[in-house]
Amino acid sequence: MSPLAIIFLLLLLTISAMAKTRQFEWRVEYMHWSPDGVEGVVMAINGKFPGPTIRARTGDTISVELTNNLLTEGLVIHWHGISQRGTPWADGTASISQCPINPGETFVYRFIVDKAGTYFYHGHYGMQRSAGLYGSLIVELAKNEKEPFHYDGEFNLLLSDWWHKSSQDQQIDISSKPFRWIGEPQSLLMNGRGQFNCSLAAQFSKSPIPQCKLRGDEQYAPHIFHVHPNKTYRLRVASSTALSSLHLAVGGHKMVVVEADGNYIQPFSVENMDIYSGESYSILFTTDQDPSNNYWISISVRGREPKTPQGLTILNYIPNFASKIPNFPPPLPPLWNDYNYSKSFSKKIFGLMGSPKPPTRHDRRLFLLNTQNRIEGYTRWAINNISLVFPTTPYLGSIKYGINNAFDTKSPPNTFSKDYDIMKPPPNPNSTYGNGVYMLKFNTTIDIILQNANILAENVSEIHPWHFHGHSFWVLGYGDGNFTTEDAETTLNLNNPPLRNTVVVFPYGWTALRFSADNPGVWAFHCHIEPHLHMGMGVVFAEGVHLVKNIPNEALTCGLTGKMFAENKHK
């Protein structure tokens, strides 16, 4: 064994010796709530919205005993950004890693958090994220490790969007014929709080919406961040939005971005930043402004024509009153469709020196074209003209146990026609349903080229943030138009690309990724916009499933695996 391997082994043993099991008992239920001042129904955990924040250290085991008290619908929770090495059944993806947890039933998620970073969790069945089933998951370094940057205090900021129409109604709308779009959200929430019928900054606006008059104990009162002058703070921010791409600013303060999706990056300074659904960051800011004032923290919609007011809260410089309104307007975001502004931010993100580098060559390259299509009059999204539908038996069980007829064993297409014009609506808008799987050879290097295109309407192409379960990938580059052989040879960054688990593909553009198929299991890769996934915008990868051990039967009690267990029980 090499000296480096011995050091690594000793480090793992040290972390393991210090690791703890952090146990939680959760019950999920619907509750009346007022996230933005208008009472509706939220999906709550232990009576809280958003759900409780989990904090752990690298190497800890998380154990969540989850009881479904929803009465009439199933439930799963996905631990967004957690690799689930050795526990793919705990990934929390219905029909892929497990069966939905039935009403009244309890399922135990038990997994190790092996990498420090800013993460979150959310529902992954139907459109339960839109119903408010989400919360933060923070993994700190082991006690004997240090961050590569200094800060004096830390805050957590979970972003989301909110509709007054229920998630069930939204689901019916986008699944109906004729198609009904869900529309833009009514509010943007910060840590589950927003304002709809009033504004914190009404005095700076020409809108007739009145100034908020709050006691501070309302469910929709802003979560205020209290700071001391001349200190440096770490703001952990994650986006669990169902639709919205967001723009974040801390008024008057520069932000230094230091972490992306649980991976250290080369620090860079910005005055504001974009964050897409499924992404997470850590930023540092120093409270070096006039200490007699308070300051705005704002979020605004990007990539869609904004019909939703800014989300606002206050950065409170102690000893000022927290209720003191800043004496200047909230930060103005760039134009919603200024994509060059967005691209300039994404292209500033590079891996920190010493971060793992990608393999220099790929073993397989997949080209995934996302299009908007129709199937039998229904509006769907498709990848290489296949719109994803999920089988009744989770892939993990059917592949592991060799069950026939559980899903289409024909592989989905590796590419799309070179003649396809991404600048125009599809000449033939008809697509097909499918539930095939990309079978990846274990321990090989895979490239994915995400290719964006025009939707059914003319002159429209949308932003899509893509999230990969069970993996981090290297973002090798972005480009406009079609990906070409020249791009493959000259544009891709193999020197210091960032590791991410979520990445954006811009309108009429492409994004290139590389990853190692080294995590045994079955994994979703999909657009993180909730209605887009529900309408078929995703694919499924399987790798090394024969190596998966100790799958709990409780994860697979539906479909053909459930039938198999029942038959074996009676033998």
Side-chain angles (χ1 to χ4, degrees):
M1 185 179 289
S2 70
L4 185 61
I6 293 171
I7 292 171
F8 184 68
L9 178 60
L10 290 173
L11 179 61
L12 286 178
L13 291 172
T14 302
I15 292 173
S16 177
M18 298 172 64
K20 295 181 179 180
T21 296
R22 301 182 185 269
Q23 295 183 315
F24 305 89
E25 292 183 8
W26 286 359
R27 64 185 186 279
V28 177
E29 58 194 340
Y30 283 112
M31 294 186 67
H32 293 291
W33 206 271
S34 298
D36 63 359
V38 177
E39 186 176 89
V41 173
V42 301
M43 201 170 278
I45 299 176
N46 293 354
K48 294 183 178 180
F49 167 78
T53 295
I54 291 178
R55 297 193 80 96
R57 291 190 180 274
T58 306
D60 285 353
T61 295
I62 304 294
S63 179
V64 178
E65 187 177 297
L66 185 70
T67 300
N68 180 358
N69 285 346
L70 297 178
L71 302 179
T72 60
E73 61 185 291
L75 168 73
V76 297
I77 287 184
H78 169 56
W79 313 94
H80 188 107
I82 305 303
S83 66
Q84 301 292 351
R85 289 189 177 273
T87 53
W89 57 85
D91 187 51
T93 44
S95 300
I96 297 179
S97 64
Q98 72 171 107
C99 302
I101 306 164
N102 289 323
E105 292 184 347
T106 298
F107 181 81
V108 178
Y109 288 101
R110 189 177 177 87
F111 55 90
I112 293 173
V113 287
D114 58 1
K115 191 175 186 181
T118 304
Y119 307 107
F120 63 105
Y121 60 85
H122 59 81
H124 213 292
Y125 183 58
M127 292 179 63
Q128 292 178 345
R129 179 156 48 97
S130 297
L133 184 54
Y134 43 73
S136 295
L137 199 173
I138 307 300
V139 182
E140 300 173 350
L141 289 169
K143 288 186 177 180
N144 61 335
E145 297 181 310
K146 290 186 177 181
E147 302 278 10
F149 42 81
H150 167 77
Y151 54 95
D152 301 301
E154 177 178 313
F155 300 109
N156 185 46
L157 178 59
L158 183 62
L159 309 177
S160 55
D161 40 13
W162 186 251
W163 284 257
H164 294 161
K165 178 179 284 191
S166 74
S167 60
Q168 291 95 339
D169 284 348
Q170 293 180 47
Q171 188 168 319
I172 291 168
D173 283 350
I174 63 175
S175 305
S176 66
K177 185 170 64 174
F179 175 74
R180 296 184 183 183
W181 179 235
I182 63 173
E184 302 305 308
Q186 275 66 63
S187 302
L188 302 177
L189 308 183
M190 291 191 270
N191 291 339
R193 295 162 178 253
Q195 296 78 40
F196 177 72
N197 287 323
C198 68
S199 170
L200 300 178
Q203 67 192 71
F204 302 108
S205 172
K206 296 179 181 178
S207 169
I209 296 177
Q211 182 75 26
C212 292
K213 296 180 180 179
L214 302 169
R215 300 181 306 274
D217 59 352
E218 297 89 349
Q219 291 174 338
Y220 61 97
H223 180 112
I224 292 175
F225 295 90
H226 305 281
V227 295
H228 292 276
N230 300 311
K231 300 289 184 180
T232 297
Y233 291 89
R234 179 181 188 170
L235 181 64
R236 295 179 181 266
V237 55
S239 177
S240 65
T241 56
L243 173 66
S244 306
S245 302
L246 298 176
H247 187 75
L248 170 70
V250 180
H253 296 72
K254 287 191 175 181
M255 302 184 290
V256 178
V257 188
V258 294
E259 177 217 341
D261 295 351
N263 300 283
Y264 296 128
I265 59 174
Q266 292 182 23
F268 64 97
S269 178
V270 292
E271 294 184 353
N272 44 58
M273 59 181 282
D274 287 350
I275 179 169
Y276 304 98
S277 177
E279 290 188 327
S280 64
Y281 293 94
S282 282
I283 60 173
L284 304 179
F285 66 91
T286 300
T287 50
D288 54 4
Q289 299 301 298
D290 182 351
S292 66
N293 290 327
N294 288 339
Y295 297 85
W296 295 111
I297 299 177
S298 67
I299 51 174
S300 311
V301 172
R302 294 283 282 134
R304 306 182 68 86
E305 188 171 357
K307 299 176 182 177
T308 309
Q310 275 186 311
L312 295 172
T313 190
I314 290 174
L315 186 70
N316 167 226
Y317 270 57
I318 296 171
N320 300 329
F321 287 113
S323 58
K324 181 180 180 181
I325 298 298
N327 58 9
F328 42 81
L332 279 176
L335 289 174
W336 68 271
N337 56 355
D338 185 350
Y339 295 117
N340 286 331
Y341 197 100
S342 302
K343 293 172 186 177
S344 68
F345 175 78
S346 295
K347 291 178 179 179
K348 290 177 182 175
I349 302 174
F350 297 100
L352 186 67
M353 186 178 296
S355 299
K357 290 189 177 183
T360 55
R361 290 183 174 84
H362 64 275
D363 299 301
R364 184 179 178 184
R365 177 172 281 166
L366 301 173
F367 296 83
L368 303 182
L369 171 71
N370 64 251
T371 53
Q372 195 180 47
N373 300 80
R374 291 194 178 95
I375 303 177
E376 300 171 354
Y378 294 95
T379 300
R380 300 284 296 182
W381 287 94
I383 302 301
N384 292 352
N385 213 40
I386 304 292
S387 186
L388 181 64
V389 290
F390 293 110
T392 55
T393 304
Y395 291 107
L396 182 63
S398 56
I399 296 173
K400 173 64 178 179
Y401 296 116
I403 297 175
N404 295 323
N405 303 318
F407 62 91
D408 185 357
T409 56
K410 181 182 177 182
S411 177
N414 288 339
T415 189
F416 57 94
S417 171
K418 294 180 180 178
D419 298 327
Y420 191 91
D421 188 346
I422 67 164
M423 305 303 293
K424 296 180 180 179
N428 178 3
N430 295 317
S431 180
T432 57
Y433 296 114
N435 58 19
V437 177
Y438 288 99
M439 299 289 186
L440 307 179
K441 187 177 180 181
F442 190 60
N443 268 338
T444 57
T445 300
I446 311 296
D447 277 7
I448 297 176
I449 310 300
L450 290 169
Q451 180 67 63
N452 211 342
N454 203 98
I455 66 171
L456 287 169
E458 291 188 353
N459 302 316
V460 181
S461 182
E462 298 184 355
I463 280 178
H464 299 287
W466 278 75
H467 172 59
F468 198 1
H469 293 227
H471 297 75
S472 290
F473 48 72
W474 290 277
V475 183
L476 303 186
Y478 305 87
D480 297 323
N482 276 306
F483 182 84
T484 65
T485 304
E486 183 179 352
D487 289 323
E489 294 175 351
T490 63
T491 306
L492 302 186
N493 172 19
L494 298 179
N495 182 40
N496 57 357
L499 275 166
R500 305 294 303 267
N501 62 56
T502 303
V503 71
V504 63
V505 55
F506 291 105
Y508 299 112
W510 56 263
T511 301
L513 320 174
R514 179 166 293 177
F515 71 95
S516 298
D518 60 358
N519 191 6
V522 186
W523 309 104
F525 181 49
H526 61 88
C527 178
H528 208 258
I529 293 174
E530 184 96 312
H532 288 186
L533 172 60
H534 191 75
M535 295 164 66
M537 196 175 193
V539 297
V540 177
F541 295 117
E543 60 202 58
V545 179
H546 63 287
L547 300 172
V548 177
K549 299 178 181 178
N550 303 320
I551 303 176
N553 288 355
E554 295 78 18
L556 303 173
T557 53
C558 60
L560 296 176
T561 44
K563 183 179 179 182
M564 178 188 73
F565 294 150
E567 290 174 350
N568 291 342
K569 186 177 181 180
H570 290 95
K571 285 183 179 179

